[in-house]
């Protein structure tokens, strides 16, 4: 994405033209960025060629998942719907792992029937349930157990998952008991230890600490794990000159771990694959003047992009056409929804905007559209995939009649 003759351009397409042709709000994704991210991810860990399972919850668009599949990635799913979507996109079941704290019997049944690689169990009760269903089906099921390593991922508290007060995984003591339970079971084959300590992690040290914890626990279990699933969580830069995750240090820590443990590594990245691939194009409906700040009222709202309202996340905003005049007042970018949290960000010294101007919000490819809703009975935006000068509609805009 860059300005060419003052016009903001994704690959070879001007944002302004997209807005005119496809209307707003609209999500669009850059294919070349997607390709770059996947290739970089592979390159960062190429010495031990991990199985990379894309976290479907970060972006559930069928056509986008199809593209991701073409690079050989598998999927990490957290519901039956996501599992169905991954299969529909053509992902090999032997590259699918199923995570989540509350898988229902129905979901476990389905996952077993589809012969996926691993069900990563997160509690005693869940393992008993898998055991029960497997016995009825006279099958031996490959599972993983998710460990809660009690590691602070040093990220937003709302997206931290690996501390002992978080609901995810089991603690060390339970983990050790469950390993013994699995060893005795005729219907369960314990093949994986899994962890996922949080999202938007920018410091490699929590990962290093997590590996150290896993290492110690593996020794205590005296069990050979075929797979070690390290989860996802690799952070991206939402703001200019923000910190970057040191992949090389993470890679070194894993290689050190693998010297003692010869397991296959699984990753479950979501954000790092699709986050900076997506943009949300929106139009300024009104500018409402106020004492200290002006409200820029957009046609995109918290139902289209929930992260700011849900986590206080900030997305960079850029005008589609660059002009020189700067606003003297602070702009508060808001949506039309009847909630005070329907607000994106406040910016000083933004370029002076007019009604009907087009802006974009950046880095919305992960947890953007997938977290969207129909709140206020607003139809969901269209989604486009851009490759060079080609624009493909990969999901049509919802119509009001779809909602009635
Ligand atoms: C959400 C989630 C991921 C993906 O996290 P990112 O931060 O998007 O990489 C991976 N594994 C599990 C179990 C998850 O819940």
């Amino acid at each position: 994405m860059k300005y060419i003759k003052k016009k903001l351009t994704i690959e070879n397409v001007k944002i302004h033209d997209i807005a005119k042709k496809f209307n707003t709000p609209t999500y669009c994704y850059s294919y070349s960025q997607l390709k770059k991210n996947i290739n970089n991810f592979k390159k960062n860990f190429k010495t031990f060629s991990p199985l990379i399972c894309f976290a479907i919850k970060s972006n559930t668009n069928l056509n986008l998942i199809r593209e991701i599949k073409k690079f050989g990635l598998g999927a990490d799913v957290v519901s039956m719907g996501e599992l169905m979507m991954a299969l529909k996109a053509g992902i090999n079941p032997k590259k699918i792992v199923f995570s989540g704290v509350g898988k229902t019997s129905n979901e476990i049944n389905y996952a077993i029937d589809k012969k996926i690689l691993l069900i990563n169990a997160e509690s005693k009760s869940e393992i008993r349930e898998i055991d029960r269903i497997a016995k009825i089906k006279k099958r031996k099921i490959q599972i993983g157990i998710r460990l809660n390593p009690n590691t602070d991922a040093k990220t937003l508290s709302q997206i931290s998952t690996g501390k002992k007060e978080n609901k995810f995984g089991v603690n060390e003591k339970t983990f050790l008991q469950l390993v013994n339970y699995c060893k005795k079971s005729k219907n369960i084959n314990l093949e994986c230890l899994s962890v996922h300590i949080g999202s938007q992690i920018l410091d490699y040290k929590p990962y290093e600490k997590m590996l150290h914890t896993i290492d110690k626990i593996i020794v205590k279990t005296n069990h050979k794990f075929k797979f070690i699933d390290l989860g996802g969580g690799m952070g991206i830069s939402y703001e200019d000159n923000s910190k970057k995750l040191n992949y090389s240090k993470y890679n070194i820590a894993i290689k050190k771990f693998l010297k003692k443990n010869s397991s296959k590594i699984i990753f479950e990245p979501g954000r790092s694959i699709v986050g900076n691939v997506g943009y949300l194009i929106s139009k300024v409906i009104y500018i409402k003047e106020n004492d200290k700040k002006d409200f820029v009222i957009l046609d995109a709202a918290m139902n289209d992009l929930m992260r700011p309202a849900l986590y206080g996340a900030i997305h960079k905003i850029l005008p589609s056409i660059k002009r020189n005049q700067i606003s003297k007042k602070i702009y508060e970018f808001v949506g039309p929804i009847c909630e005070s949290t329907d607000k994106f960000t406040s910016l000083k010294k933004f370029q002076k905007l007019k009604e009907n101007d087009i802006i974009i919000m950046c880095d919305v490819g992960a947890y953007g559209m997938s977290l969207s809703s129909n709140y206020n009975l607003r139809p969901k935006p269209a989604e486009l995939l851009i490759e060079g000068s080609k624009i493909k509609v990969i999901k049509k805009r919802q119509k009001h009649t779809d909602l009635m």
Side-chain angles (χ1 to χ4, degrees):
M1 181 225 22
K2 56 181 178 296
Y3 284 95
I4 299 176
K5 292 187 184 150
K6 307 210 167 192
K7 288 190 173 143
L8 193 56
T9 308
I10 299 176
E11 304 220 359
N12 303 331
V13 188
K14 293 186 194 76
I15 302 281
H16 208 74
D17 296 344
I18 302 176
K20 239 189 261 167
K21 184 158 179 208
F22 296 93
N23 236 320
T24 51
T26 291
Y27 272 91
C28 52
Y29 305 105
S30 159
Y31 180 79
S32 68
Q33 189 63 50
L34 177 70
K35 185 173 163 183
K36 199 166 142 189
N37 292 349
I38 295 175
N39 288 335
N40 279 342
F41 196 96
K42 286 183 178 170
K43 210 162 78 195
N44 286 327
F45 302 109
K46 69 169 185 297
T47 47
F48 53 89
S49 51
L51 172 62
I52 306 169
C53 294
F54 172 62
I56 299 287
K57 76 171 188 285
S58 65
N59 193 310
T60 51
N61 185 290
L62 175 62
N63 289 299
L64 202 75
I65 300 168
R66 279 188 176 134
E67 295 302 330
I68 291 169
K69 182 235 150 192
K70 288 182 194 160
F71 291 93
L73 270 61
D76 165 49
V77 301
V78 292
S79 71
M80 183 156 152
E82 287 189 4
L83 176 49
M84 291 165 80
M85 190 64 102
L87 292 170
K88 187 162 176 165
I91 293 178
N92 182 342
K94 284 288 158 242
K95 288 184 179 179
I96 299 180
V97 299
F98 195 164
S99 312
V101 290
K103 301 176 202 78
T104 63
S105 311
N106 199 22
E107 289 179 313
I108 293 168
N109 254 294
Y110 185 75
I112 290 177
D113 289 345
K114 294 296 169 190
K115 301 194 163 82
I116 65 169
L117 179 64
L118 290 165
I119 300 175
N120 284 339
E122 303 209 19
S123 63
K124 260 185 221 178
S125 307
E126 186 187 343
I127 291 185
R128 283 200 209 103
E129 184 61 6
I130 297 170
D131 201 2
R132 185 187 71 82
I133 296 171
K135 197 169 168 188
I136 295 170
K137 292 186 188 287
K138 297 196 176 64
R139 290 263 310 276
K140 188 148 187 167
I141 306 304
Q142 291 180 198
I143 73 156
I145 304 175
R146 177 160 172 187
L147 172 74
N148 183 323
N150 192 20
T151 308
D152 186 349
K154 302 262 188 291
T155 181
L156 293 171
S157 65
Q158 301 97 319
I159 51 176
S160 181
T161 55
K163 286 195 275 183
K164 63 175 188 286
E165 62 265 34
N166 299 130
K167 69 179 175 183
F168 302 99
V170 296
N171 63 22
E172 175 175 337
K173 190 171 150 227
T174 312
F175 188 90
L176 295 172
Q177 286 169 359
L178 290 177
V179 172
N180 287 327
Y181 177 97
C182 293
K183 279 180 184 166
K184 283 183 212 136
S185 163
K186 287 192 196 68
N187 305 294
I188 284 181
N189 189 4
L190 177 61
E191 294 210 315
C192 177
L193 181 161
S194 86
V195 283
H196 172 70
I197 58 172
S199 201
Q200 186 52 15
I201 298 169
L202 293 169
D203 185 352
Y204 73 93
K205 289 198 193 86
Y207 283 127
E208 208 176 52
K209 196 164 159 245
M210 162 190 103
L211 283 161
H212 191 65
T213 306
I214 300 174
D215 204 25
K216 281 198 301 200
I217 288 177
I218 293 177
V219 174
K220 286 188 196 166
T221 61
N222 195 24
H223 183 75
K224 168 89 186 76
F225 290 92
K226 188 168 168 191
F227 301 101
I228 299 293
D229 181 344
L230 298 176
M234 297 81 170
I236 62 168
S237 308
Y238 284 102
E239 287 159 278
D240 294 335
N241 55 50
S242 81
K243 191 170 164 176
K244 283 194 174 61
L245 176 65
N246 189 330
Y247 277 91
S248 151
K249 289 264 172 62
Y250 189 16
N251 180 53
I252 290 168
I254 296 170
K255 286 208 304 205
K256 204 170 129 198
F257 170 87
L258 287 174
K259 275 192 185 135
K260 283 198 260 171
N261 307 280
S262 60
S263 304
K264 174 97 173 165
I265 297 290
I266 300 175
F267 286 118
E268 304 167 344
R271 190 189 310 272
S272 52
I273 301 296
V274 291
N276 66 355
V277 165
Y279 302 89
L280 178 57
I281 308 180
S282 177
K283 188 161 85 179
V284 177
I285 311 175
Y286 297 120
I287 296 177
K288 182 156 131 175
E289 296 186 2
N290 197 7
D291 293 347
K292 292 207 175 72
K293 57 187 177 190
D294 287 350
F295 293 105
V296 178
I297 303 171
L298 302 173
D299 65 356
M302 65 187 282
N303 76 299
D304 305 304
L305 178 62
M306 175 90 145
R307 297 189 69 254
L310 190 61
Y311 313 125
I314 290 171
H315 289 272
K316 204 158 57 186
I317 296 184
L318 298 169
S320 82
I321 296 176
K322 225 179 208 166
R323 291 187 298 258
N324 294 329
Q325 216 186 344
I326 301 292
S327 165
K328 289 196 185 77
K329 275 160 89 185
I330 293 175
Y331 278 155
E332 183 163 309
F333 291 85
V334 301
I337 281 184
C338 308
E339 295 284 347
S340 292
T341 54
D342 183 24
K343 161 180 143 177
F344 295 108
T345 185
S346 292
L347 295 170
K348 272 185 217 162
K349 294 182 183 161
F350 199 82
Q351 143 181 336
K352 188 141 179 80
L353 290 170
K354 305 192 300 280
E355 294 178 354
N356 293 318
D357 272 357
I358 301 294
I359 59 101
I360 65 163
M361 283 182 260
C362 302
D363 308 306
V364 299
Y367 310 104
M369 190 65 178
S370 66
L371 264 170
S372 68
S373 77
N374 291 118
Y375 188 38
N376 279 201
L377 222 50
R378 288 164 50 89
K380 291 192 186 186
E383 290 175 280
L384 312 174
L385 183 63
I386 296 172
E387 184 180 1
S389 310
K390 276 189 301 189
I391 305 173
K392 193 168 140 199
V393 180
I394 55 171
K395 184 137 194 193
K396 283 191 196 139
R397 183 181 307 285
Q398 265 184 341
K399 295 191 189 79
H400 282 104
T401 48
D402 297 335
L403 305 178
M404 296 300 135

